[in-house]
Every structure is written in structure tokens, then in C-alpha cells.
Amino acid sequence: MSDTPISNSKTALTDAIHEHFSGDAPIADKVKGFAKARPWTSAAFLGVTAVAVLNSLRGSKH
């Protein structure tokens, strides 16, 4: 038997995140590598983040 874990549809994203964000490279390089490997996932993360920021700004009225 091999010690290499086998990815399935539930762990493929987790494996990709671990692959691209482990190591000592600068975070910008890690993000660029992840965005090139999984562009649709990166766009979804960016969209969710944008909605969260907009909602937090909308709630803070001075």
C-alpha cells in the first residue's frame, strides 16, 4: 500500500490549498500560484470577500 493520500471531490480543494500555501514563499506568490491553478475557485473567494467587505462597510454609518 502507498502512503500517499488519495483526493476525492471533498478534499481536492483542501489539498490544493495545502499545496499552494505551504512553504516559505511570500504570500503574494502563493496567491498567484493558487489563482493560476484554480481560477474559478479564486474568483469565488474574491466575490465572497467583496460581499463581506461591502456588508461591513454598509453597517458602519458615522
Side-chain angles (χ1 to χ4, degrees), residues 6 15 25 30 32 34 41 44-46 49 52-53 55 58 61:
I6 299 172
D15 292 345
K30 293 177 183 182
K32 287 178 188 176
F34 184 77
T41 305
F45 284 155
L46 183 62
T49 304
V53 169
N55 282 337
R58 184 180 67 171
K61 294 182 181 178

Side-chain angles (χ1 to χ4, degrees), residues 6-17 38:
I6 299 172
S7 293
N8 59 29
S9 61
K10 294 181 181 180
T11 62
L13 179 59
T14 306
D15 292 345
I17 290 172
R38 299 182 73 86

Side-chain angles (χ1 to χ4, degrees), residues 11-34:
T11 62
L13 179 59
T14 306
D15 292 345
I17 290 172
H18 284 288
E19 176 186 338
H20 289 285
F21 288 96
S22 63
D24 293 334
I27 190 71
D29 292 341
K30 293 177 183 182
V31 171
K32 287 178 188 176
F34 184 77

